[in-house]
Amino acid sequence: MHRKARVLAVFAVAVCALVVAQAVPSATPIDSTELRESVTAAGILEHEEAFQAIADANDDTRAASTAGYDASLAYVRSELDPDYFTITEQEFEFPFFEELTTPEFERISPQPRDYVIEDDFFTMDFSGSGDVTGSLVPTNDIVLDPGPVASTSNSGCEASDFVPASTTGDQVALIQRGTCDFIVKATNAADAGYDAVIIFNEGTEGQEDRITTLFGTLGEPGTTIPVIGTSYAVGEELYELTGPVVVHVETSTLSEIRTTSNLIAETKTGRTDRVAVVGAHLDSVPAGAGINDNGSGSSTILEIAQELAEGGIEPVNQVRFAWWGAEEAGLFGSQYYVDQLSKNEIKDIAVNLNFDMVGSPNYVRFVYDGDASDTDSLGSSGSGAVEDVFLDYFATVVELPVEPTAFDGRSDYDAFISVGIPAGGLFTGAEEIKTEEQEEIYGGTAGLALDPCYHLACDDIGNLSMDALDEMSDAAAHATLTFAMTKSAVEGTDKGKALGHGEFKGSSLRK
């Protein structure tokens, strides 16, 4: 069903025997030229257009468990060659959450004020629904001006923190972040008879994420009352008001357990004790079609998979392409996949390559900082060697500048590095603001988000950079071929859960 002519020579000559032992720094390199020429931005765009058409026909979304997601999975499966790949669907359950309407939060008295979504508050994931106008009641143990050390406030963590709610009118609990999970605070409030919950940020001096608007999750369905998170400033303001304080909180949400699937396509040839898992999440957020996040990564690895198949490449190591479900709901698909692996199956995975958002319209070329040399990265042992494959490619093959980005737990690599599997990948940016220095290097517009439509309805077919898709897909193809064809040994790293996960030796993989 792919439209363009595909002419791809077998790589038996171009991909010579590769030995990447550290003792041999001048090892024969991978020549990925033919694969990179075959993997094109135009081909990727055709997949993106198919995803857009699917969203258009299914309430403008491809979120996990929706008809749009199911159609996206069916499309990817239909584009894969069953003679080249063994294709399976892996079904799993996950907690689904969606806001059905825009939430409202306002102070009725004293000094009426309308609070602004994102600037002042967010609905917490898995919040219940409700339209509550009631008296604000702070819990015990609220600590204002906590200073530079994280607050030890356990506000809302114990049932005794709550004054029993009045039976004569609605009441809203004001709780500070700290010590225990948000679900504990919300459950204690509901058990005490409160009708809604406001959890404000901690306020730790110098830690932005403890001051700005709190965007949290209750973790699972079950809470029946509205729960919102606010900035520290909003919470401090409410706490210090004198006299009776009346607020209005309104949320309309859907929160339940649903079923969806991962799609796995693995080559029928190649060593199964040195598998390269190449993954991207297939789902969008409920708000939109998700054409950059993550139609771009899904389309890129689909294009690479098709070109490997049409070229008849017989990899030295098995390549396992994965389109993960329910990433946007909390990395559930990739985590479920890893959780089902035995110790030996984990050991047999040599590397995970992750491609989540590689077409951002105001892009920067980011490479995951596998060795944590430039960021506070969470990469497992061996991830530095994966990073080096990308760095060497950009530096010596195409001579394009890149920047490091941290493994921070926000994408599907997380399940792999948590058990010690080396990982790496590419990223072109989300809500981060482009700097003037980045504008000079990459073009685009300083002062705007790298993806201005991140998690919004406008993440559609117009929300892509073709240059980013072209540059990053070539790098993805190069790395995929490198780990597919390497003959280097894999040695245990004793990282993660001490299951002996593999590390590719050496990093001199150059054209």
Side-chain angles (χ1 to χ4, degrees):
M1 293 178 64
H2 214 51
R3 288 68 34 202
K4 66 182 181 185
R6 299 177 182 273
V7 180
L8 188 60
V10 175
F11 289 92
V13 175
V15 183
C16 300
L18 177 65
V19 181
V20 276
Q22 289 176 331
V24 190
S26 59
T28 303
I30 286 292
D31 183 352
S32 62
T33 303
E34 290 187 72
L35 180 60
R36 287 186 284 116
E37 288 178 349
S38 184
V39 171
T40 67
I44 294 168
L45 183 61
E46 291 182 10
H47 297 312
E48 293 275 43
E49 289 170 341
F51 289 143
Q52 181 67 65
I54 288 169
D56 291 344
N58 291 280
D59 298 320
D60 299 317
T61 188
R62 297 186 307 104
S65 79
T66 67
Y69 180 82
D70 293 344
S72 297
L73 188 148
Y75 169 76
V76 173
R77 182 162 193 158
S78 73
E79 291 285 294
L80 294 167
D81 183 354
D83 292 328
Y84 187 81
F85 294 106
T86 300
I87 305 169
T88 58
E89 295 181 28
Q90 183 184 44
E91 187 175 273
F92 61 93
E93 291 185 339
F94 74 102
F96 178 85
F97 176 77
E98 181 181 3
E99 285 197 83
L100 303 177
T101 62
T102 302
E104 296 183 12
F105 174 36
E106 58 185 320
R107 186 170 71 231
I108 306 300
S109 65
Q111 306 164 17
R113 175 183 173 185
D114 288 332
Y115 295 101
V116 179
I117 185 72
E118 297 187 21
D119 292 343
D120 299 316
F121 78 103
F122 287 106
T123 305
M124 285 209 170
D125 283 356
F126 303 106
S127 163
S129 298
D131 186 349
V132 178
T133 299
S135 300
L136 187 72
V137 182
T139 65
N140 296 330
D141 298 319
I142 286 176
V143 178
L144 298 186
D145 300 319
V149 180
S151 172
T152 56
S153 166
N154 66 345
S155 167
C157 294
E158 300 172 353
S160 59
D161 290 337
F162 296 86
V163 176
S166 169
T167 59
T168 59
D170 288 348
Q171 289 191 293
V172 179
L174 179 66
I175 308 174
Q176 186 177 19
R177 179 183 188 177
T179 307
C180 64
D181 292 342
F182 299 134
I183 184 62
V184 174
K185 299 173 186 285
T187 299
N188 285 339
D191 289 347
Y194 285 83
D195 303 284
V197 172
I198 300 168
I199 303 177
F200 70 97
N201 214 341
E202 198 170 49
T204 307
E205 182 181 316
Q207 296 186 30
E208 185 176 1
D209 66 327
R210 298 283 166 159
I211 297 172
T212 54
T213 308
L214 178 58
F215 184 38
T217 178
L218 302 178
E220 60 186 12
T223 301
T224 58
I225 61 176
V227 182
I228 63 172
T230 78
S231 65
Y232 174 77
V234 168
E236 180 183 41
E237 175 190 57
L238 291 170
Y239 183 78
E240 293 190 323
L241 286 171
T242 58
V245 179
V246 178
V247 296
H248 172 233
V249 178
E250 182 176 354
T251 60
S252 179
T253 67
L254 177 61
S255 182
E256 60 189 13
I257 299 296
R258 290 189 173 183
T259 300
T260 193
S261 298
N262 297 320
L263 182 67
I264 312 296
E266 55 189 19
T267 57
K268 293 184 176 182
T269 59
R271 291 182 56 161
T272 57
D273 62 343
R274 225 166 41 213
V275 178
V277 176
V278 181
H281 75 86
L282 183 58
D283 60 315
S284 71
V285 294
I291 298 304
N292 184 38
D293 185 15
N294 183 36
S296 61
S298 291
S299 297
T300 293
I301 69 169
L302 177 56
E303 180 80 353
I304 294 170
Q306 288 179 316
E307 294 298 347
L308 288 177
E310 295 203 14
I313 307 308
E314 294 188 4
V316 173
N317 308 307
Q318 185 179 75
V319 182
R320 187 174 299 159
F321 290 93
W323 289 265
W324 309 119
E327 188 269 0
E328 297 291 4
L331 312 180
F332 288 105
S334 54
Q335 187 64 59
Y336 181 83
Y337 173 81
V338 172
D339 286 346
Q340 305 313 302
L341 299 173
S342 68
K343 290 183 179 181
N344 285 336
E345 288 170 332
I346 291 173
K347 184 178 180 180
D348 288 342
I349 296 176
V351 65
N352 168 236
L353 302 180
N354 186 71
F355 302 106
D356 187 354
M357 301 179 67
V358 290
S360 305
N362 196 28
Y363 74 103
V364 168
R365 289 183 291 271
F366 288 114
V367 174
Y368 283 114
D369 184 19
D371 61 4
S373 60
D374 298 293
T375 66
D376 293 328
S377 192
L378 304 174
S380 55
S381 178
S383 296
V386 186
E387 177 190 10
D388 284 345
V389 171
F390 289 106
L391 295 182
D392 291 350
Y393 167 78
F394 280 112
T396 65
V397 178
V398 291
E399 298 182 352
L400 290 173
V402 296
E403 296 184 21
T405 189
F407 283 117
D408 57 7
R410 288 182 59 177
S411 193
D412 291 301
Y413 55 75
D414 190 60
F416 291 87
I417 63 176
S418 70
V419 295
I421 295 171
L426 303 171
F427 176 56
T428 51
E431 75 272 33
E432 308 92 330
I433 302 301
K434 177 167 276 187
T435 66
E436 291 183 359
E437 293 78 10
Q438 289 171 335
E439 180 185 69
E440 291 180 3
I441 296 170
Y442 305 100
T445 306
L448 293 182
L450 302 182
D451 181 357
C453 289
Y454 177 63
H455 282 188
L456 299 176
C458 59
D459 186 7
D460 56 21
I461 199 66
N463 189 50
L464 292 170
S465 164
M466 295 302 291
D467 287 341
L469 285 177
D470 187 34
E471 295 163 4
M472 303 305 256
S473 63
D474 280 353
H478 174 80
T480 299
L481 188 64
T482 296
F483 289 109
M485 303 309 293
T486 181
K487 293 181 179 178
S488 66
V490 180
E491 293 187 353
T493 63
D494 296 325
K495 298 296 180 181
K497 296 181 180 177
L499 300 177
H501 312 298
E503 176 179 1
F504 278 90
K505 291 182 176 181
S507 58
S508 299
L509 303 175
R510 296 183 172 86
K511 182 176 177 180

